[in-house]
PDB file of all heavy atoms in Angstrom:
ATOM      1  N   ALA A  84      13.172  75.544  10.650  1.00  0.00           N
ATOM      2  CA  ALA A  84      13.942  74.361  11.030  1.00  0.00           C
ATOM      3  C   ALA A  84      13.017  73.261  11.551  1.00  0.00           C
ATOM      4  O   ALA A  84      13.213  72.068  11.276  1.00  0.00           O
ATOM      5  CB  ALA A  84      14.980  74.722  12.086  1.00  0.00           C
ATOM      6  N   GLY A  85      11.976  73.658  12.278  1.00  0.00           N
ATOM      7  CA  GLY A  85      11.005  72.682  12.771  1.00  0.00           C
ATOM      8  C   GLY A  85      10.242  72.005  11.653  1.00  0.00           C
ATOM      9  O   GLY A  85       9.925  70.807  11.727  1.00  0.00           O
ATOM     10  N   ILE A  86       9.940  72.758  10.603  1.00  0.00           N
ATOM     11  CA  ILE A  86       9.251  72.176   9.445  1.00  0.00           C
ATOM     12  C   ILE A  86      10.121  71.096   8.801  1.00  0.00           C
ATOM     13  O   ILE A  86       9.648  70.004   8.467  1.00  0.00           O
ATOM     14  CB  ILE A  86       8.902  73.274   8.423  1.00  0.00           C
ATOM     15  CG1 ILE A  86       7.809  74.182   8.983  1.00  0.00           C
ATOM     16  CG2 ILE A  86       8.447  72.655   7.092  1.00  0.00           C
ATOM     17  CD1 ILE A  86       7.485  75.373   8.094  1.00  0.00           C
ATOM     18  N   VAL A  87      11.399  71.402   8.627  1.00  0.00           N
ATOM     19  CA  VAL A  87      12.308  70.421   8.022  1.00  0.00           C
ATOM     20  C   VAL A  87      12.425  69.173   8.892  1.00  0.00           C
ATOM     21  O   VAL A  87      12.363  68.042   8.404  1.00  0.00           O
ATOM     22  CB  VAL A  87      13.695  71.046   7.791  1.00  0.00           C
ATOM     23  CG1 VAL A  87      14.689  69.994   7.287  1.00  0.00           C
ATOM     24  CG2 VAL A  87      13.613  72.191   6.793  1.00  0.00           C
ATOM     25  N   LEU A  88      12.576  69.363  10.192  1.00  0.00           N
ATOM     26  CA  LEU A  88      12.752  68.224  11.087  1.00  0.00           C
ATOM     27  C   LEU A  88      11.499  67.356  11.172  1.00  0.00           C
ATOM     28  O   LEU A  88      11.580  66.130  11.230  1.00  0.00           O
ATOM     29  CB  LEU A  88      13.143  68.716  12.480  1.00  0.00           C
ATOM     30  CG  LEU A  88      14.542  69.343  12.597  1.00  0.00           C
ATOM     31  CD1 LEU A  88      14.736  69.934  13.980  1.00  0.00           C
ATOM     32  CD2 LEU A  88      15.617  68.318  12.301  1.00  0.00           C
ATOM     33  N   SER A  89      10.332  67.992  11.176  1.00  0.00           N
ATOM     34  CA  SER A  89       9.089  67.222  11.314  1.00  0.00           C
ATOM     35  C   SER A  89       8.638  66.595  10.012  1.00  0.00           C
ATOM     36  O   SER A  89       7.840  65.649  10.017  1.00  0.00           O
ATOM     37  CB  SER A  89       7.974  68.126  11.847  1.00  0.00           C
ATOM     38  OG  SER A  89       7.660  69.151  10.907  1.00  0.00           O
ATOM     39  N   SER A  90       9.153  67.082   8.886  1.00  0.00           N
ATOM     40  CA  SER A  90       8.672  66.584   7.592  1.00  0.00           C
ATOM     41  C   SER A  90       9.010  65.119   7.379  1.00  0.00           C
ATOM     42  O   SER A  90       8.350  64.433   6.587  1.00  0.00           O
ATOM     43  CB  SER A  90       9.257  67.430   6.463  1.00  0.00           C
ATOM     44  OG  SER A  90      10.676  67.390   6.473  1.00  0.00           O
ATOM     45  N   PHE A  91      10.032  64.607   8.067  1.00  0.00           N
ATOM     46  CA  PHE A  91      10.364  63.184   7.958  1.00  0.00           C
ATOM     47  C   PHE A  91       9.161  62.308   8.289  1.00  0.00           C
ATOM     48  O   PHE A  91       8.874  61.327   7.607  1.00  0.00           O
ATOM     49  CB  PHE A  91      11.539  62.860   8.891  1.00  0.00           C
ATOM     50  CG  PHE A  91      11.839  61.393   9.010  1.00  0.00           C
ATOM     51  CD1 PHE A  91      12.697  60.776   8.126  1.00  0.00           C
ATOM     52  CD2 PHE A  91      11.259  60.624  10.018  1.00  0.00           C
ATOM     53  CE1 PHE A  91      12.979  59.420   8.229  1.00  0.00           C
ATOM     54  CE2 PHE A  91      11.531  59.287  10.145  1.00  0.00           C
ATOM     55  CZ  PHE A  91      12.398  58.676   9.241  1.00  0.00           C
ATOM     56  N   PHE A  92       8.444  62.675   9.330  1.00  0.00           N
ATOM     57  CA  PHE A  92       7.338  61.830   9.795  1.00  0.00           C
ATOM     58  C   PHE A  92       6.097  61.980   8.919  1.00  0.00           C
ATOM     59  O   PHE A  92       5.202  61.146   8.994  1.00  0.00           O
ATOM     60  CB  PHE A  92       7.017  62.160  11.252  1.00  0.00           C
ATOM     61  CG  PHE A  92       8.136  61.805  12.181  1.00  0.00           C
ATOM     62  CD1 PHE A  92       9.055  62.757  12.590  1.00  0.00           C
ATOM     63  CD2 PHE A  92       8.297  60.500  12.615  1.00  0.00           C
ATOM     64  CE1 PHE A  92      10.098  62.424  13.435  1.00  0.00           C
ATOM     65  CE2 PHE A  92       9.334  60.154  13.469  1.00  0.00           C
ATOM     66  CZ  PHE A  92      10.249  61.120  13.875  1.00  0.00           C
ATOM     67  N   TRP A  93       6.050  63.037   8.091  1.00  0.00           N
ATOM     68  CA  TRP A  93       4.953  63.124   7.140  1.00  0.00           C
ATOM     69  C   TRP A  93       4.996  61.951   6.169  1.00  0.00           C
ATOM     70  O   TRP A  93       3.962  61.402   5.803  1.00  0.00           O
ATOM     71  CB  TRP A  93       5.025  64.444   6.356  1.00  0.00           C
ATOM     72  CG  TRP A  93       4.969  65.673   7.196  1.00  0.00           C
ATOM     73  CD1 TRP A  93       4.727  65.759   8.541  1.00  0.00           C
ATOM     74  CD2 TRP A  93       5.178  67.020   6.752  1.00  0.00           C
ATOM     75  NE1 TRP A  93       4.775  67.066   8.958  1.00  0.00           N
ATOM     76  CE2 TRP A  93       5.040  67.859   7.895  1.00  0.00           C
ATOM     77  CE3 TRP A  93       5.447  67.603   5.521  1.00  0.00           C
ATOM     78  CZ2 TRP A  93       5.176  69.241   7.813  1.00  0.00           C
ATOM     79  CZ3 TRP A  93       5.595  68.973   5.447  1.00  0.00           C
ATOM     80  CH2 TRP A  93       5.458  69.786   6.579  1.00  0.00           C
ATOM     81  N   GLY A  94       6.195  61.628   5.745  1.00  0.00           N
ATOM     82  CA  GLY A  94       6.352  60.485   4.849  1.00  0.00           C
ATOM     83  C   GLY A  94       6.371  59.158   5.585  1.00  0.00           C
ATOM     84  O   GLY A  94       5.861  58.156   5.097  1.00  0.00           O
ATOM     85  N   TYR A  95       6.956  59.152   6.773  1.00  0.00           N
ATOM     86  CA  TYR A  95       7.153  57.908   7.523  1.00  0.00           C
ATOM     87  C   TYR A  95       5.840  57.223   7.873  1.00  0.00           C
ATOM     88  O   TYR A  95       5.756  55.998   7.886  1.00  0.00           O
ATOM     89  CB  TYR A  95       7.940  58.221   8.792  1.00  0.00           C
ATOM     90  CG  TYR A  95       8.401  57.017   9.563  1.00  0.00           C
ATOM     91  CD1 TYR A  95       9.465  56.242   9.095  1.00  0.00           C
ATOM     92  CD2 TYR A  95       7.801  56.657  10.765  1.00  0.00           C
ATOM     93  CE1 TYR A  95       9.902  55.141   9.811  1.00  0.00           C
ATOM     94  CE2 TYR A  95       8.241  55.563  11.481  1.00  0.00           C
ATOM     95  CZ  TYR A  95       9.293  54.801  11.006  1.00  0.00           C
ATOM     96  OH  TYR A  95       9.729  53.704  11.717  1.00  0.00           O
ATOM     97  N   CYS A  96       4.806  58.010   8.141  1.00  0.00           N
ATOM     98  CA  CYS A  96       3.538  57.413   8.565  1.00  0.00           C
ATOM     99  C   CYS A  96       2.709  56.896   7.393  1.00  0.00           C
ATOM    100  O   CYS A  96       1.689  56.238   7.606  1.00  0.00           O
ATOM    101  CB  CYS A  96       2.723  58.428   9.367  1.00  0.00           C
ATOM    102  SG  CYS A  96       2.172  59.854   8.404  1.00  0.00           S
ATOM    103  N   LEU A  97       3.127  57.156   6.152  1.00  0.00           N
ATOM    104  CA  LEU A  97       2.315  56.792   4.988  1.00  0.00           C
ATOM    105  C   LEU A  97       2.655  55.433   4.387  1.00  0.00           C
ATOM    106  O   LEU A  97       1.872  54.901   3.610  1.00  0.00           O
ATOM    107  CB  LEU A  97       2.449  57.867   3.893  1.00  0.00           C
ATOM    108  CG  LEU A  97       1.944  59.267   4.245  1.00  0.00           C
ATOM    109  CD1 LEU A  97       2.187  60.219   3.083  1.00  0.00           C
ATOM    110  CD2 LEU A  97       0.455  59.219   4.584  1.00  0.00           C
ATOM    111  N   THR A  98       3.819  54.876   4.717  1.00  0.00           N
ATOM    112  CA  THR A  98       4.258  53.652   4.045  1.00  0.00           C
ATOM    113  C   THR A  98       4.378  52.455   4.977  1.00  0.00           C
ATOM    114  O   THR A  98       4.937  51.426   4.591  1.00  0.00           O
ATOM    115  CB  THR A  98       5.612  53.884   3.356  1.00  0.00           C
ATOM    116  OG1 THR A  98       6.537  54.446   4.305  1.00  0.00           O
ATOM    117  CG2 THR A  98       5.471  54.829   2.170  1.00  0.00           C
ATOM    118  N   GLN A  99       3.853  52.564   6.180  1.00  0.00           N
ATOM    119  CA  GLN A  99       3.946  51.445   7.107  1.00  0.00           C
ATOM    120  C   GLN A  99       3.171  50.220   6.594  1.00  0.00           C
ATOM    121  O   GLN A  99       3.710  49.112   6.520  1.00  0.00           O
ATOM    122  CB  GLN A  99       3.402  51.868   8.473  1.00  0.00           C
ATOM    123  CG  GLN A  99       4.137  53.038   9.107  1.00  0.00           C
ATOM    124  CD  GLN A  99       5.509  52.646   9.606  1.00  0.00           C
ATOM    125  OE1 GLN A  99       5.699  51.562  10.141  1.00  0.00           O
ATOM    126  NE2 GLN A  99       6.474  53.527   9.421  1.00  0.00           N
ATOM    127  N   VAL A 100       1.928  50.429   6.234  1.00  0.00           N
ATOM    128  CA  VAL A 100       1.089  49.317   5.753  1.00  0.00           C
ATOM    129  C   VAL A 100       1.606  48.800   4.420  1.00  0.00           C
ATOM    130  O   VAL A 100       1.654  47.577   4.181  1.00  0.00           O
ATOM    131  CB  VAL A 100      -0.378  49.769   5.630  1.00  0.00           C
ATOM    132  CG1 VAL A 100      -1.239  48.648   5.053  1.00  0.00           C
ATOM    133  CG2 VAL A 100      -0.918  50.202   6.991  1.00  0.00           C
ATOM    134  N   VAL A 101       2.021  49.712   3.547  1.00  0.00           N
ATOM    135  CA  VAL A 101       2.551  49.314   2.246  1.00  0.00           C
ATOM    136  C   VAL A 101       3.802  48.457   2.416  1.00  0.00           C
ATOM    137  O   VAL A 101       3.974  47.436   1.732  1.00  0.00           O
ATOM    138  CB  VAL A 101       2.881  50.561   1.393  1.00  0.00           C
ATOM    139  CG1 VAL A 101       3.570  50.162   0.095  1.00  0.00           C
ATOM    140  CG2 VAL A 101       1.614  51.339   1.100  1.00  0.00           C
TER     141      VAL A 101
END
Side-chain angles (χ1 to χ4, degrees):
I86 290 175
V87 174
L88 291 173
S89 65
S90 59
F91 172 88
F92 294 97
W93 301 353
Y95 189 74
C96 66
L97 297 178
T98 52
Q99 300 288 321
V100 177
V101 174

